Amino acid sequence: DRYDARRIEEGMKVQHQYDNLVLSGEITNKSRVAERAAFNQSGNLDFFGDVSGISGITSEPQLRVEMSIKGNNLTDLILGFWIEAEIETARAENVLLLPAEAMRREINQYYVYVIDEAGVLVRREFQPGIQSDMFVQVLSGLDEGERVVLNPTTQHYEGLQVREIDNG
C-alpha cells in the first residue's frame, strides 16, 4: 500500500516461499507510478496479465516491484502461479519486542496498559522502533517481563483492577 511503498528500495533483501521451497533474492526495480489492479469479466485479477484472483487485493493502487529469485531447485517453480515474498525493510538484533496488538496511539504518543503487582492497570508511554504487523520494537519506556494487556478496549483505563488469564 502507499505506506509500505515508501519503505521499499532497490537492493533490499527478499525471502520467497513457494510451498515448502524457500528462496532468496532482492528488489531489482521499483516503479515510480502506482497502478490500480483491475478484475476482468471472469473475476480474475488483471494486473500483470490474466492470473487468478487473490484474496487481500483491494482497489487501492498498487506499486509494481520486480524481484530476483535465487537458490536451489528453481526448476520446481511453476510459472504463472503466485509466490509469497517477504521484503526485509529494516533489521535489528537483541531487541525488546512488544506484540503489536498491545500498542495504542493517541496523537503522537504510543502507550500500552501494564498490569502492576497488585493487578491494577497502569498506562505506560513508550518509544517504538521498527514495526511489523505482529511486533513492535521497544526503544524505551518498557522493561522485559512486564505484563501488558493485549487488544485493550475503551473499557480499559488506568487504575482498573484486572485479573490475568493464562491461555497457555
Side-chain angles (χ1 to χ4, degrees):
D1 63 23
R2 68 184 187 150
Y3 302 105
D4 291 334
R6 292 183 205 153
R7 300 183 342 195
I8 297 174
E9 297 176 14
E10 291 180 13
M12 286 183 159
K13 294 187 183 314
V14 179
Q15 180 175 308
H16 301 281
Q17 185 157 351
Y18 180 80
D19 293 332
N20 293 324
L21 187 61
V22 178
L23 304 163
S24 63
E26 65 181 39
I27 302 291
T28 58
N29 189 10
K30 173 184 168 183
S31 174
R32 296 190 44 77
V33 178
E35 302 173 36
R36 269 197 203 282
F39 292 89
N40 61 25
Q41 291 178 349
S42 60
N44 292 333
L45 183 65
D46 199 12
F47 189 66
F48 299 113
D50 188 23
V51 293
S52 301
I54 304 172
S55 63
I57 296 291
T58 67
S59 61
E60 182 176 358
Q62 303 291 310
L63 188 67
R64 183 182 201 125
V65 176
E66 296 176 11
M67 303 172 216
S68 65
I69 300 177
K70 302 172 187 168
N72 298 326
N73 304 321
L74 289 176
T75 56
D76 290 349
L77 296 175
I78 300 173
L79 296 178
F81 284 118
W82 289 94
I83 184 169
E84 293 198 25
E86 185 174 300
I87 302 168
E88 184 179 292
T89 57
R91 181 177 185 82
E93 295 182 13
N94 300 317
V95 298
L96 178 60
L97 293 177
L98 172 74
E101 61 192 316
M103 179 178 75
R104 292 295 176 257
R105 181 179 177 189
E106 193 172 85
I107 305 177
N108 284 325
Q109 295 179 336
Y110 294 87
Y111 67 94
V112 295
Y113 286 109
V114 175
I115 304 171
D116 71 8
E117 305 81 34
V120 175
L121 292 187
V122 177
R123 179 180 158 144
R124 181 81 58 78
E125 292 181 8
F126 75 99
Q127 183 180 3
I130 299 170
Q131 299 180 32
S132 74
D133 293 340
M134 301 284 296
F135 296 101
V136 177
Q137 176 188 14
V138 176
L139 298 177
S140 63
L142 291 171
D143 293 317
E144 185 175 350
E146 290 189 285
R147 300 174 299 162
V148 297
V149 175
L150 300 178
N151 293 314
T153 68
T154 55
Q155 296 176 351
H156 293 93
Y157 55 89
E158 188 164 31
L160 178 67
Q161 182 76 42
V162 296
R163 184 171 36 98
E164 186 175 5
I165 298 174
D166 183 7
N167 289 330

